[in-house]
Coordinates of all heavy atoms in Angstrom, one line a residue:
V1 N -10.9 -50.5 61.5 CA -12.3 -50.1 61.3 C -13.0 -51.3 60.6 O -12.5 -51.8 59.6 CB -12.4 -48.8 60.5 CG1 -13.9 -48.5 60.2 CG2 -11.8 -47.7 61.3
Q2 N -14.2 -51.6 61.1 CA -15.1 -52.6 60.4 C -16.4 -51.9 60.0 O -17.0 -51.2 60.9 CB -15.3 -53.8 61.3 CG -14.0 -54.6 61.6 CD -14.3 -55.8 62.4 OE1 -15.3 -55.9 63.2 NE2 -13.5 -56.8 62.3
L3 N -16.8 -52.1 58.8 CA -18.0 -51.5 58.3 C -18.9 -52.6 57.8 O -18.5 -53.5 57.1 CB -17.6 -50.6 57.1 CG -16.6 -49.5 57.4 CD1 -16.2 -48.8 56.1 CD2 -17.1 -48.5 58.4
V4 N -20.2 -52.4 58.1 CA -21.2 -53.4 57.6 C -22.4 -52.6 57.0 O -23.0 -51.8 57.7 CB -21.7 -54.3 58.8 CG1 -22.8 -55.2 58.3 CG2 -20.6 -55.0 59.4
E5 N -22.7 -52.9 55.8 CA -23.8 -52.3 55.1 C -25.1 -53.1 55.2 O -25.0 -54.4 55.3 CB -23.5 -52.1 53.6 CG -22.3 -51.2 53.3 CD -21.0 -52.1 53.1 OE1 -21.0 -53.2 53.6 OE2 -20.1 -51.6 52.4
S6 N -26.2 -52.5 55.1 CA -27.5 -53.2 55.1 C -28.5 -52.3 54.5 O -28.3 -51.1 54.2 CB -27.9 -53.5 56.6 OG -28.1 -52.3 57.3
G7 N -29.7 -52.8 54.2 CA -30.8 -52.1 53.6 C -31.0 -52.3 52.1 O -32.0 -51.7 51.6
G8 N -30.2 -53.0 51.5 CA -30.4 -53.2 50.0 C -31.5 -54.2 49.8 O -32.1 -54.8 50.7
G9 N -31.9 -54.3 48.5 CA -33.0 -55.1 48.2 C -33.5 -54.9 46.7 O -32.8 -54.2 46.0
L10 N -34.7 -55.4 46.4 CA -35.3 -55.3 45.1 C -36.4 -54.2 45.2 O -37.2 -54.3 46.1 CB -35.8 -56.6 44.6 CG -36.6 -56.6 43.3 CD1 -35.7 -56.2 42.2 CD2 -37.2 -58.0 43.1
V11 N -36.4 -53.3 44.3 CA -37.3 -52.2 44.2 C -37.7 -51.9 42.8 O -36.9 -52.0 41.9 CB -36.8 -51.0 45.0 CG1 -35.6 -50.4 44.3 CG2 -37.9 -50.0 45.2
Q12 N -38.9 -51.4 42.6 CA -39.4 -51.0 41.3 C -38.8 -49.6 41.0 O -38.5 -48.8 41.9 CB -40.9 -50.9 41.2 CG -41.6 -52.2 41.2 CD -41.6 -52.9 39.9 OE1 -41.4 -52.3 38.9 NE2 -41.8 -54.2 39.9
A13 N -38.6 -49.3 39.7 CA -38.1 -48.0 39.3 C -39.1 -46.9 39.9 O -40.3 -47.1 39.9 CB -38.1 -47.9 37.8
G14 N -38.5 -45.9 40.4 CA -39.3 -44.8 41.1 C -39.4 -45.0 42.6 O -39.9 -44.1 43.3
G15 N -39.0 -46.2 43.0 CA -39.2 -46.5 44.5 C -38.0 -45.9 45.2 O -37.1 -45.3 44.7
S16 N -38.0 -46.3 46.5 CA -36.9 -45.8 47.4 C -36.4 -46.9 48.3 O -37.0 -47.9 48.6 CB -37.5 -44.7 48.4 OG -38.0 -43.6 47.6
L17 N -35.1 -46.7 48.7 CA -34.5 -47.5 49.7 C -33.6 -46.7 50.5 O -33.1 -45.6 50.1 CB -33.6 -48.6 49.0 CG -34.3 -49.8 48.3 CD1 -33.3 -50.6 47.6 CD2 -35.0 -50.7 49.4
R18 N -33.3 -47.1 51.8 CA -32.4 -46.5 52.6 C -31.3 -47.5 53.0 O -31.6 -48.5 53.7 CB -33.0 -45.8 53.9 CG -32.0 -45.0 54.7 CD -32.6 -44.4 55.9 NE -32.8 -45.4 57.0 CZ -33.0 -45.1 58.3 NH1 -33.0 -43.8 58.6 NH2 -33.2 -46.0 59.1
L19 N -30.1 -47.2 52.7 CA -29.0 -48.0 53.0 C -28.3 -47.5 54.3 O -28.3 -46.3 54.6 CB -27.9 -48.0 52.0 CG -28.3 -48.4 50.5 CD1 -27.1 -48.5 49.6 CD2 -29.1 -49.7 50.6
S20 N -27.8 -48.4 55.1 CA -27.2 -48.1 56.4 C -25.8 -48.7 56.4 O -25.5 -49.8 55.8 CB -27.9 -48.6 57.6 OG -29.2 -48.0 57.7
C21 N -24.8 -48.0 57.0 CA -23.5 -48.5 57.2 C -23.1 -48.3 58.6 O -23.0 -47.1 59.0 CB -22.5 -47.8 56.2 SG -20.8 -48.2 56.5
T22 N -22.9 -49.3 59.3 CA -22.5 -49.2 60.7 C -21.1 -49.6 60.9 O -20.6 -50.6 60.4 CB -23.4 -50.1 61.6 OG1 -24.8 -49.7 61.4 CG2 -23.0 -50.0 63.1
A23 N -20.4 -48.7 61.7 CA -18.9 -48.9 61.9 C -18.6 -49.3 63.3 O -19.4 -49.0 64.3 CB -18.2 -47.6 61.6
S24 N -17.6 -50.1 63.5 CA -17.1 -50.5 64.8 C -15.5 -50.5 64.7 O -14.9 -50.5 63.7 CB -17.6 -51.8 65.2 OG -17.2 -52.8 64.3
G25 N -14.9 -50.5 65.9 CA -13.5 -50.6 66.0 C -12.7 -49.3 66.2 O -11.6 -49.3 66.6
R26 N -13.3 -48.2 65.8 CA -12.7 -46.9 65.9 C -13.8 -45.9 66.4 O -15.0 -46.2 66.4 CB -12.1 -46.5 64.6 CG -11.0 -47.3 64.1 CD -9.7 -47.0 64.8 NE -8.6 -47.8 64.2 CZ -7.3 -47.6 64.6 NH1 -7.0 -46.8 65.6 NH2 -6.4 -48.4 64.0
T27 N -13.3 -44.7 66.6 CA -14.3 -43.6 66.9 C -14.8 -43.1 65.6 O -14.2 -42.4 64.8 CB -13.6 -42.5 67.7 OG1 -13.0 -42.9 68.9 CG2 -14.6 -41.3 68.0
F28 N -16.1 -43.5 65.3 CA -16.7 -43.2 64.0 C -16.8 -41.8 63.7 O -16.6 -41.4 62.5 CB -18.1 -43.9 64.0 CG -18.9 -43.6 62.8 CD1 -18.6 -44.3 61.6 CD2 -19.9 -42.7 62.8 CE1 -19.4 -44.0 60.5 CE2 -20.7 -42.4 61.7 CZ -20.4 -43.1 60.5
S29 N -17.0 -40.9 64.7 CA -17.3 -39.5 64.4 C -16.1 -38.8 63.8 O -16.2 -37.7 63.3 CB -17.8 -38.8 65.6 OG -16.8 -38.8 66.7
T30 N -14.9 -39.3 63.9 CA -13.7 -38.7 63.4 C -13.4 -38.9 61.9 O -12.5 -38.3 61.4 CB -12.4 -39.2 64.2 OG1 -12.2 -40.6 63.9 CG2 -12.6 -38.9 65.7
Y31 N -14.2 -39.7 61.3 CA -14.0 -40.0 59.9 C -15.0 -39.5 58.9 O -16.2 -39.6 59.2 CB -14.0 -41.6 59.7 CG -12.8 -42.2 60.5 CD1 -13.1 -42.9 61.6 CD2 -11.5 -42.2 60.0 CE1 -12.1 -43.6 62.3 CE2 -10.5 -42.8 60.7 CZ -10.8 -43.5 61.8 OH -9.8 -44.1 62.5
A32 N -14.6 -38.9 57.8 CA -15.4 -38.7 56.7 C -15.8 -40.1 56.1 O -15.0 -41.1 56.2 CB -14.8 -37.9 55.6
M33 N -16.9 -40.2 55.4 CA -17.4 -41.5 54.9 C -17.9 -41.3 53.5 O -18.4 -40.2 53.1 CB -18.5 -42.0 55.8 CG -18.1 -42.3 57.2 SD -17.0 -43.7 57.4 CE -18.0 -45.1 56.8
G34 N -17.8 -42.4 52.7 CA -18.2 -42.3 51.4 C -19.1 -43.6 51.0 O -19.0 -44.6 51.7
W35 N -19.9 -43.4 50.0 CA -20.7 -44.5 49.4 C -20.2 -44.7 48.0 O -20.0 -43.7 47.2 CB -22.2 -44.3 49.4 CG -22.8 -44.5 50.7 CD1 -23.2 -43.5 51.6 CD2 -23.3 -45.7 51.3 NE1 -23.8 -44.1 52.7 CE2 -23.9 -45.5 52.5 CE3 -23.2 -47.0 50.8 CZ2 -24.4 -46.5 53.3 CZ3 -23.7 -48.1 51.6 CH2 -24.3 -47.8 52.8
F36 N -20.0 -45.9 47.6 CA -19.6 -46.3 46.2 C -20.6 -47.4 45.8 O -21.3 -48.0 46.6 CB -18.2 -46.8 46.2 CG -17.2 -45.7 46.2 CD1 -16.9 -45.1 47.4 CD2 -16.4 -45.4 45.1 CE1 -15.9 -44.1 47.5 CE2 -15.5 -44.4 45.2 CZ -15.2 -43.8 46.4
R37 N -20.6 -47.6 44.5 CA -21.4 -48.8 43.9 C -20.6 -49.4 42.8 O -19.8 -48.8 42.2 CB -22.7 -48.3 43.5 CG -22.7 -47.3 42.3 CD -24.1 -46.8 42.1 NE -24.2 -45.9 40.9 CZ -25.3 -45.2 40.6 NH1 -26.4 -45.3 41.3 NH2 -25.2 -44.4 39.5
Q38 N -20.9 -50.7 42.6 CA -20.2 -51.4 41.5 C -21.2 -52.4 40.9 O -21.8 -53.2 41.5 CB -19.0 -52.2 42.1 CG -18.2 -52.9 41.0 CD -16.9 -53.4 41.5 OE1 -16.7 -53.7 42.7 NE2 -15.9 -53.5 40.6
A39 N -21.4 -52.2 39.6 CA -22.3 -53.1 38.8 C -21.4 -54.2 38.2 O -20.2 -54.0 38.1 CB -23.0 -52.3 37.7
P40 N -22.0 -55.3 37.9 CA -21.2 -56.4 37.4 C -20.4 -56.1 36.1 O -20.9 -55.4 35.2 CB -22.3 -57.5 37.0 CG -23.5 -57.2 37.9 CD -23.4 -55.7 38.1
G41 N -19.1 -56.4 36.2 CA -18.3 -56.1 35.0 C -17.8 -54.7 34.9 O -17.1 -54.3 34.0

C-alpha cells in the first residue's frame, strides 16, 4: 500500500484546511484508516 497526503499549508487560527490521503497498490475500501500528527520533538 502506498499513501500520499496533501492539502497542508499555513492558516490563521480559526481557519480551516482539508487534508487528503490517496492510496494505491491495494483495494482501498477494505482498510480502516487513521490520521496522526507529529510536532517537532
Side-chain angles (χ1 to χ4, degrees):
V1 175
Q2 295 182 332
L3 306 172
V4 179
E5 302 95 336
S6 63
L10 175 64
V11 65
Q12 292 280 339
S16 298
L17 286 172
R18 188 181 74 163
L19 306 183
S20 298
C21 171
T22 299
S24 63
R26 297 282 186 176
T27 302
F28 175 76
S29 62
T30 64
Y31 296 104
M33 299 291 296
W35 282 100
F36 285 73
R37 64 188 182 187
Q38 187 169 23

